[in-house]
Amino acid sequence: MPDHNGPFFEDIDLGDEIGPIELVATDDNVANFCALWGNPMPNRFTSQEIAEKSGLPGPIVPGVMSMAIMSQALTDWAGPEALKDLDLVFRQPVPHNKPLLVSATITDTREEDGENLIECDVLMMGEAGERYVGGTAIIALPSNSE
Amino acid sequence: MYIDLHSHSVSSDDSRATVEQYVKWVQVLRDKRGCTIDGFVLTEHRKFDFDKDYSQLAAEYNVLIMKASELDTRCGHVLVYGVNEGLAKDIDLGDVKMDARELIKAARHHGAIAVPAHPGRFGIGLVEYMEQGETFPGLDIVERINGGSRAGENERADTLCRDHSYLGTGGSDAHLASHLGTCMTSFPTDIKNERQLVDALLAGDFTPVWLKDIQQNN
């Protein structure tokens, strides 16, 4: 595994933490994401008026974008092909232009079908402790003996 | 004893933690972080899992696992400890519009106890309803610290307890394994089952605690 710069399975212990990684989804970030996604604008993700008509206080970050942000936090840590599963619950609307804290905590490790798997809780929170999005992820890591 | 009085397993629709993951996390807290946690209560949303038996898992990991419910009412969520067949027959546990006062009364009638969850929660907590003039006769205990609260919400629960002389419990409101135990309730007495938990709550001798605070004291 000469080109692997991330952690090895043997380095991981239950309770280890990834992050928190702090980022902001700006209005421009969301608009660019919607353009790439092919979601016609304006929409409730980009327009104050449309968001309010949907009962939201303002435009929100699309769920699929939150998922992408959380996926990237994990693949930046473990490697681009490491993420095997991501199961999220969207608990509160994610706002634009406010700090978002993405973190993960290792809750289990196991070897399965020849793969070294770690299971972790993954969370996107706000500065005041809002639990916007939470769930679990399964990540495959290489062994340092490979 | 330190018991987390508020947690959700995958039996609740919005949780991603299995009971097995919770007991493993208890070992992480004990062995790697030096914390004391004796058990937890599964307070599943709008139901009670009569058919689930965690005694083998509890014995294997030396963790007390108890079952309860978190029910929806017109005045916010209410934790109910000591749920039994009689209560489930009298109250539709899945009724999201039930009257909290009737639930409080029915719980006591059947030997259970109702404790409003996260009463300081903005928009949906008990505080909001009390500010509108609602009263809750027979209520003595509320959840004073909740691990899922946003800034200011536990403080509102503190004020509620002070103003009404309510006793307060603590629970993590965990929906993920690694959130278990962040808040707990400390009991001076030994508790082995749901019946004894209700007795201990009725006795009124308990304190809500943050895990980080008891970690520092250990």
Side-chain angles (χ1 to χ4, degrees):
Chain A
M1 195 61 60
D3 56 349
H4 178 72
N5 296 316
F8 289 100
F9 184 68
E10 291 80 0
D11 300 331
I12 303 302
D13 215 350
L14 297 187
D16 284 355
E17 293 181 356
I18 304 163
I21 295 144
E22 184 174 334
L23 56 104
V24 175
T26 64
D27 295 339
D28 285 348
N29 293 151
V30 174
N32 289 338
F33 187 91
C34 285
L36 279 170
W37 180 20
N39 195 325
M41 289 181 277
N43 54 42
R44 67 183 187 281
F45 307 119
T46 60
S47 158
Q48 181 73 32
E49 189 185 343
I50 296 172
E52 284 177 3
K53 279 183 185 164
S54 304
L56 297 163
I60 61 171
V61 177
V64 69
M65 183 173 173
S66 295
M67 203 166 187
I69 288 168
M70 295 169 85
S71 300
Q72 189 178 0
L74 296 172
T75 53
D76 283 352
W77 174 75
E81 296 173 357
L83 187 59
K84 311 292 285 187
D85 186 65
L86 185 62
D87 181 11
L88 300 175
V89 177
F90 297 88
R91 300 182 66 87
Q92 291 179 49
V94 180
H96 292 203
N97 305 318
K98 290 194 173 167
L100 304 173
L101 301 165
V102 179
S103 62
T105 306
I106 313 298
T107 57
D108 205 1
T109 60
R110 64 178 185 274
E111 294 179 37
E112 193 175 281
D113 299 330
E115 285 192 299
N116 301 307
L117 302 179
I118 64 167
E119 200 154 328
C120 57
D121 290 344
V122 57
L123 194 64
M124 178 189 280
M125 294 181 71
E127 264 188 324
E130 305 95 332
R131 293 179 183 177
Y132 294 132
V133 187
T136 55
I138 298 174
I139 295 168
L141 290 180
S143 166
N144 58 17
S145 62
E146 284 171 8
Chain B
M1 293 185 83
Y2 292 113
I3 303 174
D4 184 339
L5 292 190
H6 189 168
S7 67
H8 300 272
S9 78
V10 287
S11 181
S12 293
D13 52 6
D14 59 349
S15 170
R16 291 296 179 270
T18 65
V19 181
E20 289 80 1
Q21 286 174 322
Y22 277 141
V23 292
K24 283 185 181 176
W25 188 253
V26 168
Q27 308 313 309
V28 172
L29 292 176
R30 287 175 176 171
D31 300 342
K32 298 185 188 300
R33 300 192 181 173
C35 303
T36 304
I37 169 168
D38 296 292
F40 57 91
V41 186
L42 295 161
T43 50
E44 309 297 5
H45 287 297
R46 301 174 293 280
K47 68 197 293 199
F48 183 82
D49 287 330
F50 285 104
D51 58 328
K52 293 210 165 53
D53 178 5
Y54 301 112
S55 55
Q56 200 174 336
L57 197 61
E60 186 182 343
Y61 286 89
N62 188 30
V63 179
L64 177 64
I65 305 173
M66 292 182 283
K67 298 186 296 182
S69 302
E70 182 177 8
L71 305 182
D72 292 15
T73 78
R74 283 202 295 268
C75 296
H77 293 184
V78 178
L79 301 162
V80 184
Y81 304 102
V83 176
N84 50 41
E85 299 277 1
L87 178 62
K89 202 173 165 188
D90 273 5
I91 292 278
D92 175 3
L93 303 182
D95 176 9
V96 299
K97 297 284 184 192
M98 78 171 82
D99 188 310
R101 283 164 287 260
E102 283 181 19
L103 175 61
I104 292 165
K105 205 159 80 177
R108 283 307 305 125
H109 176 71
H110 288 283
I113 188 164
V115 176
H118 40 70
R121 188 145 298 175
F122 296 112
I124 61 162
L126 191 78
V127 167
E128 303 275 341
Y129 298 94
M130 294 183 85
E131 284 174 352
Q132 292 167 22
E134 302 273 6
T135 57
F136 299 91
L139 182 65
D140 298 313
I141 306 172
V142 298
E143 186 180 53
R144 188 165 190 161
I145 57 174
N146 174 288
S149 287
R150 291 171 288 176
E153 292 180 338
N154 285 330
E155 290 76 2
R156 283 184 4 136
D158 272 341
T159 304
L160 175 71
C161 286
R162 270 200 312 274
D163 290 352
H164 294 269
S165 300
Y166 290 154
L167 299 171
T169 61
S172 66
D173 203 355
H175 289 70
L176 295 173
S178 59
H179 289 165
L180 190 76
T182 49
C183 312
M184 295 186 283
T185 305
S186 170
F187 295 93
T189 51
D190 200 22
I191 293 168
K192 292 191 176 71
N193 53 44
E194 288 88 348
R195 178 71 260 155
Q196 292 180 356
L197 174 62
V198 172
D199 290 343
L201 289 168
L202 288 171
D205 192 8
F206 54 85
T207 318
V209 292
W210 288 96
L211 182 72
K212 59 182 185 329
D213 294 337
I214 57 174
Q215 247 179 310
Q216 286 163 359
N217 295 333
N218 282 342

